[in-house]
Amino acid sequence: MFNPTKIIAIGLNYHDHAKEMNVSVPEYPLIFMKPPTTVILNGESIIYPHQTKELHYEGELGIVIKEKIKDISKDEAYKFIAGYTCANDVTARDLQRIDGQWTRSKSFDTFCPLGPRIVSHVDPIAGLEIITRVNGNIKQYSNTKNMIFNVYELVSFISYIMTLMPGDVIITGTPPGVGPLVVGDTVEVEIEGIGVLKNMVTAR
């Protein structure tokens, strides 16, 4: 179902998250990458690595690319999106602070749950509710219309940097309310019109 050559992630892409963090809205998308080995599917387990003491969830909308593209304008980006899915940008927050850059903290195996399906008929620009729950309790609640850079702008921006391949995934940033996970927790990311991505946290 998901076989990306790469996962491109966006930092700080919700107006309400920027307000929560008390930081300025970025002038252009802040991108980083996660390796394909981070991908797990709905119902599979997020493994809590021994290297971190502060594992966090980040519920996000994922964009799945339809075909090979390079240098695509934002006005034609919609033609090259296969659909949308739920994503969880699992992060070792303490390692992110220590390193000062994000590769290690975002790249452990199982750190990119995707699913439960890919949907093409939804419209993130018009607005989709996005909710993250931990053990049934709502932790994040926002709407994709609060994105700083919309899905078409993101596809275009990234395509001018790197070639995007069929199946590549762009995870579009998280709303406010990120927080910790512990072994035994169940985390759910629900996006209107797409469904619920559900994963449990387990020890290695």
Side-chain angles (χ1 to χ4, degrees), residues 41-56:
L41 303 180
N42 183 51
E44 296 185 325
S45 294
I46 299 165
I47 297 173
Y48 201 126
H50 66 82
Q51 294 95 330
T52 181
K53 304 299 182 187
E54 195 176 349
L55 194 71
H56 278 200

Side-chain angles (χ1 to χ4, degrees), residues 142-153:
S142 190
N143 194 292
T144 58
K145 65 185 177 183
N146 292 324
M147 284 185 181
I148 296 166
F149 304 101
N150 69 43
V151 292
Y152 302 148
E153 291 170 329

Side-chain angles (χ1 to χ4, degrees), residues 12-202:
L12 199 64
N13 194 37
Y14 277 77
H15 287 284
D16 42 0
H17 187 39
K19 184 177 180 180
E20 175 192 46
M21 301 291 288
N22 195 30
V23 295
S24 299
V25 170
E27 296 181 16
Y28 50 84
L30 307 175
I31 70 170
F32 59 96
M33 296 178 69
K34 297 170 78 87
T37 48
T38 59
V39 172
I40 58 172
L41 303 180
N42 183 51
E44 296 185 325
S45 294
I46 299 165
I47 297 173
Y48 201 126
H50 66 82
Q51 294 95 330
T52 181
K53 304 299 182 187
E54 195 176 349
L55 194 71
H56 278 200
Y57 56 82
E58 294 188 14
E60 309 198 6
L61 174 76
I63 305 167
V64 182
I65 299 300
K66 183 188 296 185
E67 58 189 83
K68 182 178 178 180
I69 54 173
K70 184 75 171 75
D71 298 344
I72 299 300
S73 75
K74 65 182 180 181
D75 293 330
E76 58 182 343
Y78 73 94
K79 301 176 186 177
F80 304 102
I81 295 174
Y84 302 95
T85 194
C86 304
N88 190 345
D89 178 21
V90 181
T91 303
R93 193 70 68 199
D94 49 352
L95 302 185
Q96 186 179 29
R97 286 193 298 266
I98 290 167
D99 291 352
Q101 55 82 24
W102 300 357
T103 301
R104 180 166 65 134
S105 67
K106 302 279 191 175
S107 295
F108 287 90
D109 292 353
T110 76
F111 270 26
C112 190
L114 297 172
R117 57 184 181 147
I118 300 169
V119 174
S120 59
H121 61 267
V122 295
D123 184 358
I125 295 177
L128 305 172
E129 287 188 345
I130 178 169
I131 302 168
T132 304
R133 301 181 186 88
V134 178
N135 302 326
N137 299 310
I138 293 175
K139 300 295 185 178
Q140 294 182 284
Y141 181 86
S142 190
N143 194 292
T144 58
K145 65 185 177 183
N146 292 324
M147 284 185 181
I148 296 166
F149 304 101
N150 69 43
V151 292
Y152 302 148
E153 291 170 329
L154 294 175
V155 170
S156 175
F157 179 82
I158 294 166
S159 79
Y160 277 94
I161 300 166
M162 66 188 79
T163 299
L164 291 168
M165 302 298 292
D168 282 354
V169 177
I170 301 168
I171 57 174
T172 57
T174 196
V178 300
L181 293 168
V182 299
V183 171
D185 281 349
T186 296
V187 56
E188 299 173 300
V189 180
E190 180 175 4
I191 301 178
E192 181 181 359
I194 298 176
V196 180
L197 170 65
K198 184 175 181 179
N199 303 91
M200 179 175 283
V201 181
T202 63

